[in-house]
Amino acid sequence: DVKVTQSSRYLVKRTGEKVFLECVQDMDHENMFWYRQDPGLGLRLIYFSYDVKMKEKGDIPEGYSVSREKKERFSLILESASTNQTSMYLCASSPATRGPHGELFFGEGSRLTVL
Amino acid sequence: SQQGEEDPQALSIQEGENATMNCSYKTSINNLQWYRQNSGRGLVHLILIRSNEREKHSGRLRVTLDTSKKSSSLLITASRAADTASYFCATDGLYGNKLVFGAGTILRVKS
């Protein structure tokens, strides 16, 4: 079974702190994604990556950056956390496909609270 | 921008009843997917239906797709308390390079 592991289930940080959210997948997937989930808004795509050292902006990249140095690991970075970044963050992965977008495999989520 | 929008926002039914959730989207798609999320957990893929398919079944799940109306429905038959969760539709949009999720339907099945 595919496993996507997010390093922290719950984090509490202070405004202005640098925050790292780590995600590791064990199925050699090429594609990795970071979403944030807020009540009433569903999931919104922050960044995604199709390959090592490659990244593309999603719908809401402002205030975030990402790093993909190894195929299995995709990190989300909040350079200076703000209270409006309090949210549930979900990492996902999928295998490369030539055609349309396939199934995503999600981690359990990281709930971040910024005070 | 949200591509898919689910309806209703919340649904409460008795165990054994059927649950129907609807999804509408705005642009042409290659496929539409449904996911389930238990409270405080990640999403789990349920079913994928391609744009050239009209209906698909998986166990107690039945998904329909009407591309002319840009809508889909998810039917869960003979619901169980364990089906209590949020359900999301996701579409890949015109270029198929990313999935866009709706806000979800919260389903509560009372035993």
Side-chain angles (χ1 to χ4, degrees):
Chain A
D1 282 351
V2 174
K3 187 154 187 179
V4 179
T5 303
Q6 295 184 229
S7 56
S8 304
R9 290 295 311 278
Y10 301 95
L11 302 96
V12 179
K13 299 291 182 181
R14 297 211 173 272
T15 301
E17 279 192 77
K18 191 169 185 175
V19 181
F20 292 87
L21 299 178
E22 305 284 344
C23 175
V24 177
Q25 49 94 5
D26 66 359
M27 283 301 291
D28 203 35
H29 284 171
E30 286 74 19
N31 306 329
M32 296 189 76
F33 306 83
W34 275 106
Y35 288 87
R36 68 175 278 176
Q37 182 179 21
D38 301 287
L41 296 178
L43 278 72
R44 292 179 291 167
L45 183 62
I46 305 171
Y47 268 96
F48 59 105
S49 169
Y50 288 146
D51 203 351
V52 176
K53 296 192 184 296
M54 176 266 169
K55 61 185 178 184
E56 287 197 34
K57 293 180 180 178
D59 298 319
I60 52 164
E62 296 78 19
Y64 303 94
S65 63
V66 290
S67 172
R68 192 158 181 209
E69 296 296 317
K70 293 184 178 181
K71 189 176 185 179
E72 68 270 19
R73 187 180 297 270
F74 192 35
S75 303
L76 180 69
I77 303 154
L78 288 66
E79 293 289 342
S80 178
S82 63
T83 55
N84 63 11
Q85 292 178 309
T86 292
S87 187
M88 169 74 102
Y89 290 88
L90 291 162
C91 175
S93 71
S94 70
T97 59
R98 285 188 190 174
H101 207 300
E103 172 188 353
L104 291 184
F105 296 85
F106 281 87
E108 290 292 290
S110 298
R111 185 166 293 281
L112 171 67
T113 301
V114 183
L115 302 176
Chain B
S1 59
Q2 278 177 244
Q3 165 75 315
E5 294 188 8
E6 289 88 346
D7 168 59
Q9 288 185 323
L11 181 61
S12 183
I13 59 173
Q14 291 292 134
E15 205 165 27
E17 293 180 341
N18 295 341
T20 300
M21 289 158 271
N22 303 296
C23 170
S24 59
Y25 57 92
K26 297 174 184 173
T27 66
S28 297
I29 61 171
N30 295 297
N31 67 57
L32 184 145
Q33 303 180 35
W34 284 92
Y35 288 79
R36 165 198 168 121
Q37 183 182 36
N38 288 351
S39 181
R41 310 296 292 273
L43 278 72
V44 175
H45 182 263
L46 293 176
I47 198 164
L48 180 154
I49 186 165
R50 301 190 188 285
S51 60
N52 61 355
E53 296 176 311
R54 291 296 166 258
E55 189 170 311
K56 202 161 182 180
H57 296 255
S58 177
R60 293 185 295 113
L61 305 181
R62 173 182 169 241
V63 169
T64 60
L65 179 64
D66 186 335
T67 53
S68 66
K69 295 181 179 178
K70 292 187 170 59
S71 68
S72 173
S73 66
L74 170 67
L75 168 68
I76 304 174
T77 60
S79 63
R80 305 165 182 168
D83 294 327
T84 294
S86 294
Y87 292 83
F88 296 87
C89 69
T91 53
D92 64 349
L94 191 59
Y95 301 107
N97 62 343
K98 59 181 182 180
L99 280 184
V100 179
F101 288 79
T105 292
I106 300 170
L107 173 66
R108 181 183 170 211
V109 181
K110 296 176 283 187
S111 56

